[in-house]
Amino acid sequence: MSERPVPSSIDPAEVAKFQAMARDWWDPQGKFKPLHMLNPTRLDYVTAQIAAQFGRDLAAPTPFQGLRLLDIGCGGGLMAEPMARLSATVTGADAAEGNIAVARLHASEQDLAIDYRATTAEALAAEGHRFDVVMALEIVEHVADPAQFIATCRDLLAPGGMLIQSTLNRTAKSFAAAIVGAEWVMRWLPKGTHDWRRFITPDELAAMTQATGLRVVDRCGMVFNPLGWSWSLSHRDLSVNYAMTALRDA
């Protein structure tokens, strides 16, 4: 009797987009320049949320020692690597094998032990993996079924675990910034990287997240200042990029 196939929220067309750009992950002036610019702000948000939930001191030498962390849709490892440096036990997963090849090579060059896997959230859940923290950053707008994907992320959490998501709001401002600005004018990203119709409002994301039984505890915007050419966190402005934290109660 054959095993039933594991369902997948992967959208092959979306995976193909990022597979084609895989070699550029660690070029700060290349096709992932917007993520390189955003990354320090994402890292500030993620580390603060984890430290607060698990009672960790970010000034300690190994603040995340003992925490199991999954970066789903990890790309080339822009967030996985700093989390490993903070001593978390990191698994990075991505459906695009080209991304994983780049991530493994770069981590090896940095002497970082990260368990990179060319796989899906659904496959990891089916194998019984559980994590203290799941990061799903800039991925939910690219999956075939966001609600099902979030439910799978919930299944990947151990009791008391934390899901941190970040994505793009569906507003006129986000269309202007993420598509017209980043793709058409600045040409930081290839045209067609994002589909505005797939962007998700904070209320929609919160509803999908809470429908899985997770408890949303924080929403925060990530705001780009074109004058200072810098990013900052804002709990008032979630009009373009934003992050959301939810907990799986014990």
Side-chain angles (χ1 to χ4, degrees):
M1 184 175 179
S2 62
E3 294 184 2
R4 294 177 63 185
V6 177
S8 174
S9 60
I10 295 299
D11 183 326
E14 293 296 296
V15 172
K17 289 180 188 177
F18 291 95
Q19 178 93 348
M21 297 188 285
R23 68 180 183 276
D24 296 314
W25 271 107
W26 288 97
D27 179 1
Q29 300 302 318
K31 294 175 181 177
F32 292 101
K33 181 175 181 178
L35 279 183
H36 280 273
M37 295 169 62
L38 176 61
N39 218 45
T41 303
R42 289 197 303 178
L43 187 61
D44 285 346
Y45 179 79
V46 168
T47 55
Q49 291 295 313
I50 295 172
Q53 173 63 17
F54 295 98
R56 302 305 179 95
D57 179 3
L58 288 172
T62 56
F64 293 164
Q65 185 77 40
L67 289 179
R68 298 159 298 169
L69 183 145
L70 170 65
D71 184 5
I72 190 70
C74 63
L78 298 188
M79 284 293 289
E81 287 200 6
M83 303 311 288
R85 289 191 179 95
L86 291 168
S87 301
T89 300
V90 180
T91 298
D94 202 292
E97 293 187 7
N99 289 347
I100 292 299
V102 170
R104 284 174 177 159
L105 176 61
H106 197 270
S108 176
E109 291 171 345
Q110 305 301 310
D111 198 25
L112 292 172
I114 299 172
D115 181 12
Y116 281 120
R117 302 183 182 204
T119 188
T120 65
E122 292 81 8
L124 289 171
E127 292 166 8
H129 294 282
R130 297 294 180 267
F131 300 88
D132 301 302
V133 180
V134 172
M135 300 190 305
L137 309 177
E138 279 71 55
I139 182 175
V140 71
E141 72 272 22
H142 296 291
V143 300
D145 185 339
Q148 182 56 49
F149 172 75
I150 295 168
T152 302
C153 289
R154 182 273 322 277
D155 293 342
L156 285 162
L157 288 173
M162 167 182 282
L163 171 62
I164 304 176
Q165 304 174 82
S166 62
T167 189
L168 285 152
N169 199 349
R170 194 175 62 256
T171 62
K173 188 173 180 181
S174 72
F175 184 88
I179 296 178
V180 175
E183 295 185 17
W184 299 358
V185 178
M186 301 303 294
R187 297 184 181 179
W188 286 335
L189 295 168
K191 287 185 179 180
T193 299
H194 290 110
D195 181 345
W196 181 83
R197 295 167 298 181
R198 300 177 76 148
F199 290 3
I200 301 169
T201 71
D203 286 346
E204 290 168 347
L205 187 64
M208 286 187 284
T209 301
Q210 290 170 165
T212 70
L214 296 176
R215 177 166 53 92
V216 174
V217 295
D218 190 73
R219 310 180 188 194
C220 186
M222 294 178 284
V223 180
F224 181 65
N225 178 358
L227 297 179
W229 211 245
S230 61
W231 288 86
S232 62
L233 297 173
S234 171
H235 279 92
R236 292 182 298 175
D237 186 354
L238 282 70
S239 59
V240 182
N241 295 79
Y242 69 94
M244 183 174 293
T245 299
L247 301 177
R248 178 171 185 172
D249 293 324

